[in-house]
Amino acid sequence: MLDENIKLENMKSLEAYRAGLMIKPTLRNLFLELTLRCNERCLHCGSSCGDVKSEELTLTQYQKFLAEIKGDFGTDKKMLCITGGEPLLRSDFFDIMDCAHKLGFKWGMTSNATLITDSVAKDLKKVGMNTISVSIDGLEDTHDAFRRTPGGWKKAMAGIESLLRVGTFDAVQATTVVTHQNIGQLDELFKIFNEMDLDSWRIINIEPIGRAKDHPELLLTPDDYRYMFEYIRNMRIKGEPVTYGCSHYLGLEYEREVRDWYYICTAGTYIASIMANGDITACLDIERRPEFIQGNILRDRFKDVWDNKFQIFRRNLSDLNEKCSACSEKCRCHGDSYHSWDFDKNEPQLCFKDILF
């Protein structure tokens, strides 16, 4: 375990830094939800993607928007994060990303990889993809049942192999959503990923949002959480490229032990997102409520929205809840992640106090 005093000092500095971001936010990660269509039907999907019809921005609208972003913000230290749905379902996907690449943007993608072949991987390289994170949510039978896609595991693994064969991407990562049903498969998954020589493995817990609310049997127990974080920490002690996601304050014992830095929710201060229909919000995992839509790129200039709105995200959630406000950890937690806050009850849906610390 890292020195406790050093952790406290670092987190105190981070608190001051976060306070500065609330006053002067800095756009770093811009998420583009290209579509809500998906060829899988995952039981945990926060956006309820699948065989759905929804409004989608056109290629011309993306070209105009990306040129505007470059003009207003530049491309230095900016990352486009491409997501969906499954982004590769768009017939004009490569035209959109070729535009982003030629404008000088770095970009990465989240994908289920079922549509990736050697040819697709080569095309991804041509249009400048830097990183990709592929969802692998358990061993074959577990993955296919969780994502409700027979044959999905084999297709996804073949897609990863194609990405690795083409090579020269900055990072090819696997992401696993840990549930009560697959938590016992972590060791076997690591052996598979290690043999494939993936760049990293990101482990995240299933969140009580989206479709997961309809499947409480998948949610982790306190013992599951403790096992998961001990597993990640032990793997990192061994020098393995395993990390926990960005979500949640984990308490003094686990902060900086299971990921490269300390918890901070940057929704609306580092992060903004453009939904498939052009709506502007912070993190795409946040509940889709009208008050969180800050504008739409078809009628609003994004920079005006970023500079003059987003106040709903630039506050401490802990101030909204009496228990959180009185908590000794509020200066480090701030009410935890926006995406797992219950805005009807004004309380966190997931808090690791009394579970981890």
Side-chain angles (χ1 to χ4, degrees), residues 160-178:
I160 292 175
E161 293 286 6
S162 289
L163 292 163
L164 295 173
R165 264 195 300 274
V166 169
T168 67
F169 297 108
D170 289 350
V172 177
Q173 177 189 73
T175 292
T176 297
V177 175
V178 176

Side-chain angles (χ1 to χ4, degrees), residues 82-116:
I82 309 304
T83 185
E86 172 49 52
L88 288 169
L89 284 175
R90 282 195 64 131
S91 60
D92 56 0
F93 171 86
F94 288 102
D95 295 318
I96 295 170
M97 300 323 303
D98 186 51
C99 169
H101 180 47
K102 287 177 178 176
L103 286 169
F105 285 102
K106 290 188 67 174
W107 67 276
M109 178 169 66
T110 300
S111 173
N112 60 39
T114 60
L115 302 176
I116 296 177

Side-chain angles (χ1 to χ4, degrees), residues 45-83:
C45 184
S47 305
S48 298
C49 298
D51 186 16
V52 298
K53 293 182 179 180
S54 65
E55 296 178 59
E56 293 180 0
L57 298 174
T58 66
L59 169 62
T60 301
Q61 288 165 340
Y62 275 117
Q63 290 170 330
K64 179 183 177 184
F65 171 70
L66 291 170
E68 180 184 292
I69 292 295
K70 179 177 181 178
D72 288 342
F73 292 91
T75 59
D76 185 44
K77 296 181 180 179
K78 304 290 184 298
M79 185 76 173
L80 298 181
C81 307
I82 309 304
T83 185

Side-chain angles (χ1 to χ4, degrees), residues 154-338:
K154 286 180 178 174
K155 291 178 181 177
M157 297 300 279
I160 292 175
E161 293 286 6
S162 289
L163 292 163
L164 295 173
R165 264 195 300 274
V166 169
T168 67
F169 297 108
D170 289 350
V172 177
Q173 177 189 73
T175 292
T176 297
V177 175
V178 176
T179 72
H180 186 62
Q181 294 180 352
N182 71 8
I183 193 167
Q185 300 176 3
L186 295 179
D187 277 330
E188 293 174 86
L189 284 172
F190 174 75
K191 290 176 185 176
I192 293 170
F193 297 149
N194 192 44
E195 289 176 2
M196 297 176 79
D197 199 24
L198 287 176
D199 294 295
S200 64
W201 182 25
R202 185 171 70 120
I203 294 174
I204 57 178
N205 53 272
I206 189 169
E207 300 279 15
I209 60 175
R211 289 192 187 122
K213 288 184 175 181
D214 298 326
H215 299 279
E217 74 280 2
L218 295 174
L219 300 182
L220 299 180
T221 67
D223 285 343
D224 289 338
Y225 281 119
R226 287 187 283 267
Y227 175 86
M228 181 185 73
F229 288 118
E230 276 299 301
Y231 178 85
I232 298 171
R233 177 161 65 179
N234 289 335
M235 293 300 285
R236 289 173 67 87
I237 289 172
K238 295 175 185 177
E240 302 296 350
V242 181
T243 185
Y244 181 59
C246 63
S247 302
H248 306 303
Y249 173 67
L250 307 177
L252 195 58
E253 181 178 355
Y254 287 101
E255 281 296 327
R256 190 59 178 83
E257 302 282 332
V258 296
R259 54 191 165 203
D260 292 341
W261 197 238
Y262 301 89
Y263 165 74
I264 179 174
C265 182
T266 55
T269 56
Y270 269 179
I271 293 172
S273 301
I274 309 302
M275 296 181 180
N277 66 352
D279 282 345
I280 302 168
T281 189
C283 171
L284 288 167
D285 285 335
I286 297 173
E287 184 181 359
R288 302 197 175 194
R289 300 166 67 102
E291 62 265 36
F292 296 146
I293 305 302
Q294 302 299 289
N296 186 289
I297 65 168
L298 298 181
R299 62 176 184 269
D300 303 300
R301 193 173 187 90
F302 176 83
K303 188 175 189 307
D304 292 338
V305 174
W306 178 256
D307 289 345
N308 300 307
K309 294 189 177 181
F310 276 87
Q311 286 83 2
I312 196 169
F313 302 111
R314 297 166 187 169
R315 59 179 177 172
N316 294 330
L317 290 172
S318 56
D319 295 338
L320 305 179
N321 177 281
E322 185 175 343
K323 183 179 178 181
C324 291
S325 184
C327 179
S328 60
E329 300 288 333
K330 71 174 183 178
C331 60
R332 295 181 277 273
C333 171
H334 309 288
D336 208 70
S337 301
Y338 257 81

Side-chain angles (χ1 to χ4, degrees), residues 5-17:
N5 290 325
I6 291 176
K7 286 186 179 184
L8 288 169
E9 187 177 321
N10 287 338
M11 284 191 274
K12 187 175 182 179
S13 298
L14 185 62
E15 181 187 357
Y17 178 74

